[in-house]
Amino acid sequence: MPADGVELTPKPSLLSQNEIIRLADLFVSSGVDKIRLTGGEPSIRKDIEDICLQLSNLKGLKTLAMTTNGITLGKKLPKLKDCGLNALNISLDTLVPAKFEFMTRRKGHGRVMESINAAVDLGYDPVKVNCVVMRGFNDDEICDFVELTRYKPINVRFIEFMPFDGNVWNVKKLVPYSELLDKVVR
Ligand SMILES: C[S@@+](CC[C@H](N)C(=O)[O-])C[C@H]1O[C@@H](n2cnc3c(N)ncnc32)[C@H](O)[C@@H]1O
């Protein structure tokens, strides 16, 4: 989260539920069989359950996925699953609560962990955890993230840190794939 926060898109500029379903219907009837809800933060939309239900009823759609920050997901997940959400990516860049608060400028690390565990308990397999790797911030946690996958159906996806407005991107923060692999196999 940039220091100045982010400007929220005004509601009238967001796709309405009808527009989302209409667009999705056009794509699915043309052969698309996977839709991912992302954002912004999809789980905070008040009509997210309805959207999932309608999308999952589109004939030909096989995968309805969501990428979420996981903060408010835990409680909503059983209903979302009933509404047809069948694949889940939860973003989490650190396993250290204080670092989480520094990075996201909010509390909530425990709730994200609860969401990951709720997803496992509900039978999501795999539960994908998206971790953006930044040198000097979380590259010392690579093996702890890998450890998460030892006994649970969790896949960790290490993602290259990309420059977005205000996120203090710097080439020195990139960690090459070979270095990550080296840390894991050592
Ligand atoms: C922008 S988020 C939007 C969805 C949702 N709010 C979330 O947090 O997952 C989608 C994905 O982008 C990733 N992401 C965010 N900032 C990034 C960056 N600077 N470089 C690479 N990936 C990034 C997140 O880890 C997440 O997996």
Side-chain angles (χ1 to χ4, degrees):
M1 177 63 73
D4 298 335
V6 287
E7 210 173 305
L8 296 180
T9 306
K11 221 167 173 195
S13 303
L14 297 175
L15 286 174
S16 69
Q17 187 174 324
N18 284 344
E19 287 167 335
I20 291 172
I21 305 306
R22 179 150 186 266
L23 268 177
D25 192 17
L26 286 170
F27 279 108
V28 173
S29 59
S30 305
V32 169
D33 64 5
K34 177 174 181 176
I35 290 177
R36 173 174 304 281
L37 301 168
T38 178
E41 177 48 44
S43 67
I44 60 171
R45 253 189 99 120
K46 291 209 167 64
D47 53 357
I48 190 66
E49 287 94 349
D50 274 355
I51 289 174
C52 285
L53 188 60
Q54 292 194 55
L55 290 176
S56 64
N57 282 332
L58 293 177
K59 211 166 173 296
L61 188 76
K62 292 185 187 138
T63 308
L64 179 59
M66 181 186 285
T67 300
T68 166
N69 63 25
I71 290 184
T72 62
L73 183 74
K75 272 189 269 168
K76 296 181 180 172
L77 198 51
K79 179 99 192 282
L80 286 170
K81 188 166 187 240
D82 287 346
C83 292
L85 184 72
N86 59 14
L88 206 51
N89 289 52
I90 299 177
S91 305
L92 181 63
D93 301 330
T94 177
L95 298 171
V96 180
K99 276 203 228 174
F100 179 93
E101 201 175 327
F102 169 77
M103 185 73 182
T104 62
R105 299 174 200 275
R106 62 168 85 169
K107 292 189 191 297
H109 184 268
R111 275 182 283 151
V112 182
M113 294 307 294
E114 280 165 26
S115 293
I116 293 171
N117 288 324
V120 169
D121 292 345
L122 282 167
Y124 283 92
D125 186 0
V127 176
K128 294 181 182 171
V129 172
N130 289 5
C131 173
V132 178
V133 182
M134 291 155 276
R135 190 183 300 285
F137 174 72
N138 60 0
D139 55 329
D140 58 336
E141 296 186 56
I142 300 303
C143 292
D144 297 334
F145 271 97
V146 172
E147 192 61 34
L148 283 182
T149 70
R150 189 187 290 271
Y151 300 113
K152 294 185 177 177
I154 293 174
N155 280 5
V156 178
R157 301 151 68 79
F158 293 113
I159 299 174
E160 182 180 302
F161 182 41
M162 295 186 288
F164 294 142
D165 276 355
N167 73 352
V168 207
W169 184 88
N170 182 319
V171 73
K172 292 191 187 130
K173 291 185 186 162
L174 292 181
V175 182
Y177 165 76
S178 55
E179 194 180 317
L180 289 179
L181 201 55
D182 195 44
K183 278 181 198 281
V184 175
V185 297
R186 229 186 303 138

